[in-house]
Amino acid sequence: MSLPIGTIDKMNVIACWHQQQLSTRFECANQTLLHHIERVTPYLISRLQQLGINSTPPHYKLIIQQPQNMPPALSGLLIKV
């Protein structure tokens, strides 16, 4: 999913369900925003555990923004919220 944050930022969230476990990856070009996501993710993991959902430790990636005139290369399912 690509989640808009404010007017210019966006957070890409990749989630994969495999062998009864949820794995997640958070990608963003804004280092400060990515750091905030890292700080609140333990609350998400705790809530998932309360719901009986096992998860692997999440991954975080700082991405380099692409020029505005070039669309990103996409493959697979893309969900925009």
Side-chain angles (χ1 to χ4, degrees):
M1 288 188 285
S2 182
L3 306 171
I5 311 289
T7 57
I8 59 170
D9 286 324
K10 71 177 182 176
M11 173 70 62
N12 296 323
V13 182
I14 296 100
C16 180
W17 182 258
H18 182 67
Q19 295 182 351
Q20 303 299 315
Q21 281 198 334
L22 180 67
S23 60
T24 52
R25 186 165 110 187
F26 299 90
E27 299 178 344
C28 185
N30 182 328
Q31 187 169 4
T32 303
L33 178 59
L34 192 61
H35 180 68
H36 287 302
I37 295 298
E38 287 182 61
R39 289 182 27 205
V40 300
T41 302
Y43 299 107
L44 171 64
I45 301 302
S46 175
R47 182 66 179 135
L48 290 172
Q49 289 174 343
Q50 289 174 356
L51 296 170
I53 299 172
N54 295 322
S55 62
T56 61
H59 296 274
Y60 306 94
K61 181 180 180 186
L62 182 64
I63 57 175
I64 298 171
Q65 286 184 316
Q66 296 185 2
Q68 294 293 344
N69 59 354
M70 295 185 63
L74 302 174
S75 66
L77 178 65
L78 174 65
I79 300 172
K80 287 193 176 188
V81 179

